[in-house]
Amino acid sequence: PGSVTQLPADWQTSLQRGDVQGAIRQLERTLALDGKHKTARKTLIQLLLLQGKLNEAEAQAQTFSRFFPDDTEAIFLCAAVA
C-alpha cells in the first residue's frame, strides 16, 4: 500500500476493527506521503491523546497549527494537549 488515496480507507478500516495501533501506523504512513493531510493529522492527534501519548500528540498539534494557522481546530487541539 502506497497510494495516498487508499491509505485513509486503510486507517478507517483499522479503527473499525478496533486496531488503534494499526490505525496509527496507517495515519503515520499517510502523513509521510502527504504531510498536509488534515483529516489524518487530526485523527492521529486524537488517537495519541486517547492513548495518553501527550508528547507525540503535542508535536502533531504544533505541526497541525503550522500547516493550518487559521483553523480554529488547531487552537483547540493545541489546548487539549497542553
Side-chain angles (χ1 to χ4, degrees):
S3 165
V4 78
T5 55
Q6 176 61 36
L7 286 169
D10 291 345
W11 56 258
Q12 289 170 350
T13 299
S14 292
L15 280 178
Q16 289 169 353
R17 288 193 320 249
D19 180 8
V20 175
Q21 283 305 119
I24 288 174
R25 283 191 300 276
Q26 294 293 344
L27 287 161
E28 289 172 340
R29 235 179 257 142
T30 299
L31 291 169
L33 294 171
D34 178 4
K36 291 188 177 184
H37 193 296
K38 191 175 192 177
T39 303
R41 192 156 314 268
K42 286 192 313 188
T43 304
L44 179 58
I45 292 165
Q46 292 166 345
L47 292 178
L48 291 170
L49 285 172
L50 286 173
Q51 292 203 319
K53 297 179 179 180
L54 302 182
N55 290 336
E56 292 175 54
E58 181 178 14
Q60 291 295 332
Q62 288 174 358
T63 300
F64 185 93
S65 65
R66 273 197 312 275
F67 286 147
F68 308 104
D70 296 328
D71 190 314
T72 55
E73 282 185 283
I75 297 165
F76 173 77
L77 290 168
C78 286
V81 173

